[in-house]
Amino acid sequence: MRVGIFGSKYQVEKQSQIKRLFEKLISQEAEIYVDVRFYNFLTDILNYEPPVAGLLTDDNFDLDVALSVGGDGTFLRTAARVNRQDIPILGINTGRLGFLADVGGNDIEDTLEELFKNYYKIEERTLLRLHTEERAFHGYNYALNEIAILKRDTSSMITIHTSLNDEYLASYQADGLLIATPTGSTAYSMSVNGPIIIPQSKNIVLSPVAPHSLNVRPLIIPDTYTITLGVESRNKSFLISLDGRSEVFPAGIQLTVTKADYTTKVIKRYNHTFYQTLREKLMWGADARMK
């Protein structure tokens, strides 16, 4: 099995888990490839030089599976690297919350054992695509979590004129507007009181950020809709963020958001469900009175 490993550089205290991961892969006789930046971190900072078949230096690679070692941010960066190469991703959580990277340190060996026995399921996760006629966003223009339209720094509110399938919806006066997938409903969107949507839902949620009016609320729409946006800003610019990758846009440019024509494949254990993640990560339904 050809296994690619992508990781975060902010996990010095997790080096024992990282070494256990490599040791298990070596014992399974995996063909190991490591992202070059993560490999440099392992050798230069952790003084650990695992045996590898090669280094991943660009975004084109032939793997059977990709391992994301870190938190959800690392998983999002891994998904962007994998892009549409149809490689399933397993998230090993050495970060904090971990919705996408939900395999804990204590489960590394068991999870990899299941991986090599092909005992796992694959969930296909929807992505969003940002389109502008001028190709204004210069990076990877897809998002697994959300596309955020935001004011810059401490500037005044922006106005976001929003249409669905060419029919006018509303003009949001706010600090921003989030367009989130079901996967992203437990990320930034949740922090601004957006609803939680199970990953299998065919929906998108629009959640305003600090709206000026009390009569606007998050809105769930089908993921087949086309969302068109125009932004007004006093300082003539605003911020676009795709899963945390941000660029400054000039006001007046038209933005179009649609569902992507491909999905991200996420590896999940059979004994682990989204509802279990809600209970463990968000203390879903927990009652502090119950001991």
Side-chain angles (χ1 to χ4, degrees), residues 203-219:
N203 298 114
I204 297 170
V205 59
L206 278 63
S207 299
V209 180
H212 186 58
S213 174
L214 294 177
N215 58 5
V216 290
R217 294 290 185 269
L219 177 67

Side-chain angles (χ1 to χ4, degrees), residues 223-279:
D223 64 9
T224 55
Y225 278 24
T226 296
I227 304 165
T228 308
L229 307 159
V231 181
E232 292 182 24
S233 173
R234 286 185 180 177
N235 66 359
K236 308 301 181 185
S237 64
F238 63 98
L239 199 66
I240 285 279
S241 177
L242 280 69
D243 288 346
R245 306 182 309 276
S246 301
E247 292 187 19
V248 176
F249 273 43
I253 192 170
Q254 180 172 291
L255 312 171
T256 302
V257 177
T258 57
K259 181 175 71 172
D261 61 354
Y262 74 100
T263 59
T264 293
K265 277 68 175 178
V266 182
I267 294 175
K268 294 293 183 180
R269 303 181 72 184
Y270 273 115
N271 64 349
H272 199 97
T273 69
F274 180 72
Y275 313 114
Q276 184 179 347
T277 301
L278 286 181
R279 292 193 301 271

Side-chain angles (χ1 to χ4, degrees), residues 38-56:
F38 187 52
Y39 186 79
N40 291 337
F41 167 75
L42 295 175
T43 56
D44 297 345
I45 306 300
L46 301 188
N47 295 315
Y48 179 57
E49 191 169 342
V52 298
L55 300 180
L56 305 175

Side-chain angles (χ1 to χ4, degrees), residues 4-285:
I5 302 178
F6 303 82
S8 165
K9 299 178 182 180
Y10 305 103
Q11 45 190 343
V12 174
E13 72 281 2
K14 303 290 186 178
Q15 56 184 301
S16 62
Q17 294 182 14
I18 296 171
K19 291 179 180 179
R20 283 169 44 214
L21 171 67
F22 277 97
E23 288 167 0
K24 185 62 178 180
L25 291 174
I26 293 167
S27 71
Q28 294 287 341
E29 299 181 348
E31 193 174 324
I32 304 172
Y33 296 85
V34 182
D35 171 58
V36 63
R37 285 162 290 205
F38 187 52
Y39 186 79
N40 291 337
F41 167 75
L42 295 175
T43 56
D44 297 345
I45 306 300
L46 301 188
N47 295 315
Y48 179 57
E49 191 169 342
V52 298
L55 300 180
L56 305 175
T57 58
D58 55 30
D59 294 342
N60 293 310
F61 34 78
D62 183 19
L63 301 171
D64 295 310
V65 63
L67 301 186
S68 171
V69 185
D72 286 349
T74 304
F75 193 102
L76 293 172
R77 289 189 291 273
T78 302
R81 291 283 301 277
V82 168
N83 202 331
R84 38 174 91 238
Q85 295 177 98
D86 207 33
I87 299 168
I89 307 170
L90 174 65
I92 307 294
N93 184 26
T94 60
R96 285 172 290 183
L97 194 59
F99 267 93
L100 288 164
D102 60 356
V103 175
N106 295 330
D107 298 322
I108 289 175
E109 286 84 0
D110 289 343
T111 302
L112 292 179
E113 193 78 34
E114 293 168 359
L115 180 68
F116 281 87
K117 291 179 179 177
N118 291 318
Y119 184 72
Y120 58 86
K121 57 186 175 181
I122 292 179
E123 293 182 357
E124 296 197 29
R125 299 295 184 92
T126 297
L127 295 99
L128 298 173
R129 175 179 182 263
L130 173 69
H131 173 75
T132 58
E133 289 185 2
E134 298 86 356
R135 187 71 171 100
F137 196 86
H138 300 293
Y140 173 68
N141 62 317
Y142 294 85
L144 178 57
N145 266 358
E146 77 279 312
I147 295 176
I149 299 92
L150 303 166
K151 72 174 187 177
R152 292 185 62 193
D153 303 322
T154 57
S155 63
S156 59
M157 292 182 302
I158 56 177
T159 302
I160 307 161
H161 305 293
T162 307
S163 296
L164 304 177
N165 289 344
D166 294 326
E167 180 177 348
Y168 174 70
L169 170 66
S171 292
Y172 294 95
Q173 289 188 314
D175 284 357
L177 178 67
L178 307 180
I179 304 170
T181 65
T183 300
S185 71
T186 53
Y188 194 173
S189 179
M190 184 177 68
S191 74
V192 296
N193 293 320
I196 293 176
I197 307 174
I198 65 171
Q200 293 76 22
S201 298
K202 306 297 184 183
N203 298 114
I204 297 170
V205 59
L206 278 63
S207 299
V209 180
H212 186 58
S213 174
L214 294 177
N215 58 5
V216 290
R217 294 290 185 269
L219 177 67
I220 298 174
I221 63 174
D223 64 9
T224 55
Y225 278 24
T226 296
I227 304 165
T228 308
L229 307 159
V231 181
E232 292 182 24
S233 173
R234 286 185 180 177
N235 66 359
K236 308 301 181 185
S237 64
F238 63 98
L239 199 66
I240 285 279
S241 177
L242 280 69
D243 288 346
R245 306 182 309 276
S246 301
E247 292 187 19
V248 176
F249 273 43
I253 192 170
Q254 180 172 291
L255 312 171
T256 302
V257 177
T258 57
K259 181 175 71 172
D261 61 354
Y262 74 100
T263 59
T264 293
K265 277 68 175 178
V266 182
I267 294 175
K268 294 293 183 180
R269 303 181 72 184
Y270 273 115
N271 64 349
H272 199 97
T273 69
F274 180 72
Y275 313 114
Q276 184 179 347
T277 301
L278 286 181
R279 292 193 301 271
E280 293 177 354
K281 305 294 184 179
L282 294 182
M283 306 301 292
W284 194 260

